[in-house]
Amino acid sequence: MRAFVVARWLRRFRSRAQLERHQRRRVRRHLRLLRRRSPWFAAAPARLDELPRMDKAVMMANFDAMNTVGVTLDDAVALAADAERRRDFGGTLDGVSVGLSSGTSGHRGVFVVSAAERDAWAGTVLALTLPRGRILDHRIALFLRAGNELYDTVRSRAVEFRYFDVHGDLGERIRSLAAYEPTILVAPPSVLLAIAEAGLELRPQRVYAVAEVLERADARRLEAAFGQPFLHQLYQCTEGFLARTCDRGVLHLNEELLLFEREAVEGRRFVPIVTDFSRVAQPIVRYRLNDLLVERAEPCDCGSVLTALERIEGREDDALLLGGVRVFADLVARAMIHAEGFSQWRVVQTGAERVEVLLDDPAGEAGVRERLEALWRRQGAPAPELRFGAYAPDPTRKLRRVERAWKEDADASA
Ligand SMILES: [Zn+2]
């Protein structure tokens, strides 16, 4: 409740300088606390800018010494694996819940969250995402792939929730959604598209896209289907609640909750390195995410001092890599939406010189070939062999429209 009140009414920054003072103060206080409670931080440099960058591999290698709740990696992995097998995510280790983050080639991360953090997190997410006005009158429909302790915590509060599992008969779930008449609908874009195609007369007040990259073309389609001026987004992962949409429809970094350092990539693209100054059970300090974000060229009209994003582009390692040239996912998506004759698609790099294009209608093949070949030329990348196949939606899996399934080996990138 305290987190809810603070987030909803008190946290307003008049200037960037004021926000940055707040961040510095919170970071200093947070690191002092971590040095008292975490053996790893006790032995590490005291200043943020002297601490090593962290990523999933470093965090897993130092898991036992880094966390402040005395949980071992072995115990956490065992609990998480068991929860996944039984599809029951309510289990805890002495009140500490465990989550797995997805990762490529077996590199999955384990995250622990204390009960107090879970409550504060739920309060903050509710405060920052519910429409202004009467907050208790909402019926919130959630379509999620995995159980999520965050949403389970929220559900136990005063707000009415219904959870729809995307496993099993999705058509049946969508029909019961119509009967529920949600005021707020939360789902990954691929599931929202399936709901939109079912042609229900749904008019939720808000629609939130979560857990997948929201392509612009899909956003336009969904806005029309659900009668929304714009789609809201929650950029929320196991590493934290990183960004949210303002009332002008623009994504802003949650800089009142986290400090974002940047690794510049190209143009306004950057990889965020985050420090969450409220996570204590498992510290997230200078943690490098595998995500590409693009800063907006202009500040947002809403007047917020929080950094405005143009978009979340997706996983850094999903950019195609052709003859050493990176072709960013967003460029591929733009080429695809300019081609015609199909509506659903995926582009997957499956080899050093091979790209598979999956379309829901083969009528689009010639147009796609032309657009993609023009893209390779513009980017100065050698043209890969294109293979076409049939697109098959799978709501139980996270949709990545652009994916690099082939990884160059470590020597080649050095
Ligand atoms: Zn804004």
Side-chain angles (χ1 to χ4, degrees), residues 174-188:
I174 291 175
R175 282 190 292 280
S176 56
L177 174 70
Y180 183 57
E181 294 183 3
T183 59
I184 297 180
L185 175 58
V186 183

Side-chain angles (χ1 to χ4, degrees), residues 245-252 296 299-304 306 308:
T245 307
C246 74
D247 58 13
R248 304 292 167 93
V250 172
L251 264 173
H252 290 269
R296 212 163 175 267
C300 177
D301 293 339
C302 75
S304 170
L306 305 176

Side-chain angles (χ1 to χ4, degrees), residues 28-324:
R28 271 200 306 274
R29 199 195 304 166
H30 189 57
L31 291 180
R32 272 201 303 275
L33 177 72
L34 293 181
R35 278 198 299 281
R36 286 200 301 275
R37 296 205 194 161
S38 156
W40 191 91
F41 280 93
R47 286 168 47 124
L48 185 78
D49 56 7
E50 292 169 352
L51 284 167
R53 294 276 167 88
M54 220 188 278
D55 59 15
K56 200 173 284 177
V58 173
M59 188 177 263
M60 291 306 106
N62 297 280
F63 186 90
D64 295 4
M66 216 178 258
N67 81 72
T68 66
V69 285
V71 172
T72 66
L73 183 60
D74 291 346
D75 287 348
V77 167
L79 179 72
D82 186 52
E84 197 132 300
R85 198 165 47 244
R86 294 185 291 119
R87 295 202 63 70
D88 169 8
F89 300 90
T92 64
L93 295 168
D94 295 330
V96 174
S97 55
V98 178
L100 285 173
S101 74
S102 57
T104 49
S105 55
H107 292 297
R108 303 190 76 186
V110 178
F111 286 83
V112 293
V113 181
S114 73
E117 285 172 340
R118 228 156 46 224
D119 286 352
W121 199 357
T124 301
V125 172
L126 273 181
L128 296 179
T129 55
L130 285 179
R132 303 261 154 197
R134 293 164 65 188
I135 55 175
L136 300 181
D137 278 350
H138 286 287
R139 286 182 307 281
I140 305 178
L142 294 166
F143 279 78
L144 297 171
R145 291 202 179 81
N148 181 311
E149 75 277 5
L150 166 65
Y151 295 117
D152 280 344
T153 308
V154 175
R155 180 165 40 177
S156 65
R157 309 280 144 162
V159 181
E160 192 187 332
F161 271 86
R162 192 171 300 175
Y163 170 72
F164 297 83
D165 196 339
V166 299
H167 293 85
D169 183 352
L170 188 63
E172 206 272 341
R173 307 275 195 285
I174 291 175
R175 282 190 292 280
S176 56
L177 174 70
Y180 183 57
E181 294 183 3
T183 59
I184 297 180
L185 175 58
V186 183
S190 58
V191 175
L192 290 173
L193 287 168
I195 295 170
E197 273 163 26
L200 308 169
E201 284 299 308
L202 285 182
R203 279 291 177 271
Q205 290 175 28
R206 271 196 191 183
V207 178
Y208 281 98
V210 297
E212 287 171 1
V213 171
L214 177 65
E215 297 293 350
R216 274 169 291 200
D218 291 338
R220 301 295 96 81
R221 202 179 303 171
L222 292 168
E223 286 157 9
F226 295 112
Q228 303 290 309
F230 58 86
L231 238 57
H232 287 261
Q233 290 188 70
L234 298 184
Y235 175 29
Q236 141 86 54
C237 53
T238 32
E239 290 86 352
F241 177 32
L242 303 180
R244 64 183 192 276
T245 307
C246 74
D247 58 13
R248 304 292 167 93
V250 172
L251 264 173
H252 290 269
L253 294 177
N254 286 336
E255 288 167 309
E256 69 275 73
L257 308 172
L258 303 109
L259 175 76
F260 289 80
E261 298 175 82
R262 298 174 186 204
E263 190 178 303
V265 175
E266 194 187 299
R268 284 175 279 110
R269 289 186 180 84
F270 66 97
V271 174
I273 294 153
V274 299
T275 297
D276 184 331
F277 28 77
S278 51
R279 290 274 286 278
V280 176
Q282 183 168 14
I284 304 285
V285 174
R286 304 200 97 191
Y287 187 94
R288 187 184 187 281
L289 294 164
N290 173 23
D291 275 336
L292 275 177
L293 308 186
V294 186
E295 187 173 5
R296 212 163 175 267
E298 308 288 323
C300 177
D301 293 339
C302 75
S304 170
V305 301
L306 305 176
T307 298
L309 296 180
E310 188 169 308
R311 62 182 179 271
I312 296 162
E313 194 162 281
R315 292 164 34 149
E316 183 196 8
D317 55 12
D318 272 341
L320 305 187
L321 194 58
L322 301 171

